[in-house]
Amino acid sequence: MLGRRRAGLRSGITLVGRLRRWTVRGRGTAMDERPDWARRMVEERAARDWSQVDAVRALMVRLPDDQVVSEQDLLRQWKRWEAGDAQPVKYKSVIAQTFGTTTGAFFPEKSRRDGRAEILQVSGMDTVDIIARLRASDVDVATLDALRITADRLCCEYAYMPADQLLLEGKAWLARVVGLQHQRVSLAQHREIIALAGKLSLLVGCVEYDSGRPRDAEATRQAALMLGQEAGELSVQGWAHEMRAWFSLTRGDYRGVIAASEAGIAVAPNESVAVQLYAQKAKAWARLGDRTQTEVALDQGRQLLERMPYPANIEDHFVVDPAKWDFYRMDALRKVGENRLAEQLAREVIRAGTDFDGTERSPMRIAEARVTLGVVAAREGDLDSALAFGERALTGSRRSLPSLAMVSADLGQALQSQYAHASEAQAFVAHLRELRGGQ
């Protein structure tokens, strides 16, 4: 029987076909020309087994007291929204809240930035010019502006640049920024240089941890925290605590995650990083099996992110963009066994992280989304799709080994539970153990 399954897997159903079937499930036809938000309204409702009337009633519960509308009127509007015939202008935030996400995630704005182009636009300097200025006896405003934008560019490249290349560039620019302290600078310039060094240290530490170098990453994280404290930069301090929460999460120290998250929130309660700290708390509570605390942490993060303005640069790794919230919710919902909601969010993460030409702008997020789809497939009895998604997730060139190993453990558990006697499943589980052992 297993031989027949493997033969059918290789000849009858292609990998692309299986992935497509799962990825588009619930989306309608391939020629669906509705706006993404209209399609998502249908998918979110279907994932909850809601009728349109159910969705309207859930929406009405969350309407402000001064916003009066009848159920029938709202139902007519809802049908138009799902068809893509009209935009829910007044109701965007309430629709997002109804489905547990943020307005910016459900109705994203187009906002992208070319770091190299901005260096030239703002400062008139390319990399060679910046380095030449750094060797001068003093530092002007244009040089610091160019350095800041260069640091932002590197943080934008975190999602897709090969880890070894990004680590090399990050360390090189960090050394250049640190070297500025020996030149003639004002007190304000000194503070900005320290803050820039802190942000670059955060980036280097993240890449070190992605690459399986936890001791180096922890040392770099501590350095970033001290730099953030010296500069009085709350965001840098908050992200240093967030890194500690992330490290603890991948090691299975869930109480440590909660402690680090609370420490970071105390330092930077109104910064973007606080949103991610709430997400880390939610992930930890989900793994501790506390559904109530998971939902509380998710809602706290969602509310904070909803109050923040839409980011000017959503590609910066140290900016929590609205779409990232769906990524966090996906992880927590997978852990608590909400299969259909986790699957729907996984498809959304893949869609949001893929350009129109198929280029994956967020390969690490997409890899974890594919693991989630694999877990749901395994739980629902579809071994072939579970293995296909798992294999695809592990083949990416840009990976965070600790994070990928952590979420892949969920797939391994599902395969062990459902397919203990299937040789293909056990071979994949063995491969996952190798991945965890090679961190």
Side-chain angles (χ1 to χ4, degrees), residues 60-241:
M60 293 183 72
V61 170
R62 293 166 173 81
L63 288 176
D65 294 338
D66 60 352
Q67 198 165 346
V68 180
V69 61
S70 72
E71 181 179 306
Q72 287 302 314
D73 285 344
L74 199 54
L75 179 60
R76 282 193 291 271
Q77 292 185 68
W78 189 281
K79 290 179 178 179
R80 295 187 66 206
W81 298 336
E82 285 196 357
D85 294 336
Q87 280 208 36
V89 179
K90 295 190 302 181
Y91 298 93
K92 287 182 177 180
S93 64
V94 189
I95 289 171
Q97 182 185 358
T98 299
F99 294 125
T101 188
T102 65
T103 307
F106 216 103
F107 304 93
E109 299 178 19
K110 301 299 182 184
S111 176
R112 298 190 66 180
R113 190 167 86 181
D114 181 344
R116 178 183 170 84
E118 193 169 353
I119 291 174
L120 294 173
Q121 179 181 351
V122 173
S123 67
M125 288 185 284
D126 205 341
T127 301
V128 174
D129 300 314
I130 299 172
I131 294 174
R133 290 289 190 96
L134 295 180
R135 292 181 178 139
S137 59
D138 56 4
V139 178
D140 58 19
V141 174
T143 303
L144 283 177
D145 284 344
L147 282 172
R148 175 179 51 79
I149 296 166
T150 300
D152 289 349
R153 174 183 63 79
L154 290 170
C155 292
C156 291
E157 292 173 341
Y158 171 83
Y160 56 84
M161 181 180 285
D164 54 350
Q165 181 182 346
L166 184 58
L167 189 59
L168 187 66
E169 284 199 39
K171 285 185 172 182
W173 281 105
L174 177 59
R176 290 162 185 157
V177 169
V178 170
L180 289 179
Q181 295 182 88
H182 305 298
Q183 300 186 30
R184 292 197 299 269
V185 295
S186 67
L187 287 176
Q189 288 175 327
H190 176 77
R191 180 184 178 280
E192 184 168 0
I193 289 167
I194 296 300
L196 279 172
K199 185 169 185 178
L200 286 168
S201 296
L202 292 171
L203 176 66
V204 169
C206 287
V207 182
E208 286 173 335
Y209 199 69
D210 287 339
S211 305
R213 298 165 58 180
R215 290 184 180 178
D216 292 343
E218 173 58 20
T220 306
R221 183 197 72 80
Q222 292 183 22
L225 179 60
M226 289 187 289
L227 290 166
Q229 291 169 339
E230 182 179 345
E233 193 71 23
L234 298 182
S235 178
V236 171
Q237 295 175 52
W239 280 107
H241 287 292

Side-chain angles (χ1 to χ4, degrees), residues 15-72:
L15 173 62
V16 172
R18 288 196 308 279
L19 295 179
R20 182 177 299 162
R21 177 174 65 81
W22 270 78
T23 303
V24 304
R25 190 166 78 180
R27 291 194 177 188
T29 66
M31 297 303 292
D32 191 344
E33 296 182 353
R34 290 175 300 171
D36 286 336
W37 54 262
R39 171 198 50 72
R40 183 169 181 179
M41 287 179 70
V42 177
E43 290 186 3
E44 293 275 7
R45 179 170 60 79
R48 291 164 174 78
D49 285 325
W50 286 355
S51 65
Q52 289 180 323
V53 172
D54 293 332
V56 165
R57 290 174 178 169
L59 180 69
M60 293 183 72
V61 170
R62 293 166 173 81
L63 288 176
D65 294 338
D66 60 352
Q67 198 165 346
V68 180
V69 61
S70 72
E71 181 179 306
Q72 287 302 314

Side-chain angles (χ1 to χ4, degrees), residues 322-341:
K324 201 171 186 179
W325 193 247
D326 290 333
F327 172 69
Y328 295 139
R329 288 178 61 231
M330 173 194 75
D331 178 272
L333 292 172
R334 183 189 70 249
K335 289 301 299 183
V336 298
E338 287 284 359
N339 292 341
R340 293 191 65 186
L341 294 177

